[in-house]
């Protein structure tokens, strides 16, 4: 492992004013997104859609540092025969790859999940590296009981086994000269309040960093992709933007070592504007309190793609509109990553 090179890639992934496009929807998830815009999900429609995003030159050059791809996409070519990976590289962004293989029921823990994909991971990483991937992603899913899995969820068992798998994955990535994005996602589904999210996320992050240390993962060569500390979607009291920012920063300062180069949040089902407003408020707060030890940016899937998907709606004549919508969201989040976003910028664009 060459840690200096891993650190260089990690720093480029969170370069000032840039963030990551999570375009790694598995076939089932992209089908759901396409169903919502009444587009049939075929190998070609998925390719056309993603090619539209990667050819959005302003967004890709100015605001996007890296793209997380799904296995199908990393091997696909654009309509003119150029590999999609090359399009990403040509824009100056870094190609990355989702290497987890989704979740499975966790035996002994009803309603809880563990992420699969460690078998043969070392061999798969080698092939992805040869294809151009310089970072990878693995997502662990932790549910909060109220309203969904019951009061005993999450169990310490689920937190532990998922942290263990994240660390195994991260160590294998670094051995293959690939920067791991470590994504322990505490879901925002359910009726729990923001303080319950704080407590659960704290347990999850502490266990994750404990496992990363045990398995000798070099923190300088990874990126953390956490959820924000936020109220459950069905909670009657929705925390304000300021409360989300204050509690998320407080938690991250307590749990995330300064050696980690960057934190790139998932959006988790927040509205586009909420995801942007929260990120901006956190960076404003960080700036007011003296610099944070890590860069804070975005690694959004839905919050970057919902608008372009709608604008595109599967029609070739809508490609320019889809690219405009993507560029707008990427620009808003770029501003948020510097604490410079303001709500009226959204209205001006509308
Ligand atoms: C883009 O969606 C990713 C893949 O999901 P599936 O494996 O379930 O198809 C997902 O992991 C995503 O990268 C993260 O959750 C962040 O996306 P959001 O939409 O939460 O910002």
């Amino acid at each position: 492992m060459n840690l200096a090179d891993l650190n260089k890639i990690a720093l480029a992934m969170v370069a000032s004013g840039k963030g990551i496009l999570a375009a790694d929807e598995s076939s089932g998830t992209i089908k759901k997104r396409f169903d919502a815009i009444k587009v049939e999900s075929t190998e070609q429609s998925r390719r056309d859609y993603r090619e539209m995003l990667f050819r959005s030159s302003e967004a890709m050059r100015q605001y996007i540092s890296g793209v997380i791809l799904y296995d199908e996409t990393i091997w696909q070519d654009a309509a003119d025969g150029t590999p999609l990976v090359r399009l990403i590289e040509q824009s100056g962004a870094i190609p990355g790859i989702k290497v987890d293989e989704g979740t499975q029921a966790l035996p002994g823990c009803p309603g809880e999940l563990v992420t699969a994909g460690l078998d043969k991971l070392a061999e798969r990483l080698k092939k992805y590296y040869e294809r151009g991937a310089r970072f990878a992603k693995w997502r662990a899913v932790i549910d909060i009981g109220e309203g969904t899995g019951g009061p005993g969820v999450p169990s310490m068992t689920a937190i532990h086994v998922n942290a263990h798998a994240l660390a195994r994955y991260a160590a294998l990535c670094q051995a293959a000269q690939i920067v791991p994005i470590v994504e322990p996602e505490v879901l925002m589904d359910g009726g729990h309040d923001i303080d319950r999210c704080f407590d659960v996320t704290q347990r999850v992050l502490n266990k994750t960093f404990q496992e990363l240390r045990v398995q000798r993962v070099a923190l300088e060569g990874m990126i953390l992709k956490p959820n924000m500390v936020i109220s459950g979607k069905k909670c009657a009291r929705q925390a304000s933007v300021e409360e989300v920012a204050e509690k998320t920063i407080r938690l991250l300062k307590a749990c995330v070592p300064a050696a980690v180069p960057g934190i790139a949040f998932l959006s988790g089902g927040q509205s586009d504007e909420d995801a942007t407003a929260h990120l901006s408020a956190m960076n404003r707060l960080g700036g007011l309190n003296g610099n944070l030890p890590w860069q804070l940016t975005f690694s959004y899937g839905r919050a970057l793609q919902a608008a372009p998907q709608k604008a595109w709606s599967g029609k070739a004549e809508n490609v320019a509109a889809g690219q405009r919508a993507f560029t707008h969201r990427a620009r808003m989040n770029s501003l948020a990553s510097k604490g410079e976003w303001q709500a009226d910028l959204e209205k001006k664009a509308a």
Side-chain angles (χ1 to χ4, degrees):
M1 173 181 67
N2 179 335
L3 183 55
D5 282 357
L6 287 175
N7 179 248
K8 222 160 108 186
I9 300 275
L11 287 171
M13 290 163 67
V14 294
S16 175
K18 290 190 174 188
I20 297 164
L21 166 63
D24 58 314
E25 298 86 355
S26 51
S27 305
T29 304
I30 196 74
K31 184 178 177 316
K32 269 193 243 155
R33 307 278 180 262
F34 279 13
D35 284 349
I37 52 168
K38 299 194 172 56
V39 173
E40 195 191 347
S41 180
T42 63
E43 199 181 330
Q44 190 183 326
S45 64
R46 295 192 288 270
R47 192 279 309 274
D48 290 347
Y49 167 65
R50 285 161 172 153
E51 181 174 351
M52 170 186 84
L53 296 178
F54 308 157
R55 284 196 191 275
S56 302
S57 56
E58 183 189 337
M60 294 292 295
R61 284 178 190 285
Q62 294 189 39
Y63 312 127
I64 300 296
S65 58
V67 182
I68 315 173
L69 300 168
Y70 181 55
D71 179 75
E72 175 186 81
T73 321
I74 201 168
W75 305 109
Q76 271 178 328
D77 293 337
D80 69 0
T82 312
L84 292 179
V85 183
R86 297 287 98 71
L87 290 186
I88 294 168
E89 289 169 348
Q90 284 161 11
S91 73
I94 308 167
I97 180 77
K98 183 234 293 291
V99 298
D100 70 65
E101 293 177 333
T103 53
Q104 295 176 348
L106 179 60
C109 297
E112 297 192 275
L113 301 168
V114 61
T115 303
L118 289 170
D119 290 348
K120 304 215 169 68
L121 180 56
E123 288 93 318
R124 287 162 55 216
L125 287 168
K126 210 164 161 248
K127 290 190 189 125
Y128 289 140
Y129 186 92
E130 282 160 12
R131 183 69 175 173
R134 292 295 175 267
F135 69 92
K137 191 201 90 173
W138 178 289
R139 171 173 169 251
V141 181
I142 302 292
D143 199 2
I144 295 188
E146 284 89 337
T148 48
V153 173
S155 64
M156 214 47 223
T157 308
I159 292 175
H160 192 170
V161 295
N162 276 292
H164 180 84
L166 275 167
R168 287 269 293 128
Y169 138 83
L172 286 164
C173 284
Q174 292 190 335
Q177 209 47 43
I178 285 183
V179 172
I181 294 185
V182 172
E183 180 180 3
E185 174 173 7
V186 176
L187 297 178
M188 62 183 285
D189 304 336
H192 57 270
D193 64 13
I194 186 170
D195 294 320
R196 176 96 167 109
C197 178
F198 186 106
D199 289 344
V200 172
T201 308
Q202 184 170 37
R203 278 157 64 199
V204 168
L205 290 179
N206 283 339
K207 185 50 88 177
T208 301
F209 279 100
Q210 185 187 28
E211 283 292 326
L212 290 166
R213 282 201 176 94
V214 168
Q215 298 188 43
R216 305 182 180 186
V217 173
L219 301 183
E220 299 86 346
M222 64 161 273
I223 296 292
L224 179 71
K225 176 165 173 168
N227 53 284
M228 297 177 190
V229 176
I230 200 167
S231 318
K233 273 186 211 158
K234 293 190 195 130
C235 180
R237 191 182 82 79
Q238 289 293 310
S240 66
V241 171
E242 290 68 31
E243 190 178 355
V244 169
E246 186 272 316
K247 289 187 169 161
T248 306
I249 293 287
R250 181 145 54 90
L251 179 64
L252 293 174
K253 277 186 174 171
C255 301
V256 183
V260 173
I263 297 175
F265 291 101
L266 58 91
S267 57
Q270 300 177 48
S271 71
D272 298 357
E273 237 180 277
D274 281 355
T276 307
H278 289 144
L279 178 63
S280 197
M282 280 185 245
N283 277 304
R284 262 200 313 275
L285 199 63
L288 289 178
N289 294 339
N291 284 339
L292 297 168
W294 357 256
Q295 291 287 334
L296 275 192
T297 189
F298 56 93
S299 174
Y300 294 162
R302 284 163 284 183
L304 273 175
Q305 295 188 64
Q309 275 162 10
K310 209 167 152 208
W312 171 66
S313 287
K315 298 197 175 85
E317 63 269 28
N318 290 341
V319 163
Q323 291 179 326
R324 274 198 303 277
F326 175 48
T327 304
H328 174 66
R329 284 268 46 90
R331 191 168 81 85
M332 293 297 103
N333 286 306
S334 162
L335 290 169
S337 73
K338 297 183 281 184
E340 292 170 5
W341 174 85
Q342 280 168 1
D344 61 346
L345 294 170
E346 300 281 354
K347 288 185 200 98
K348 267 182 218 154

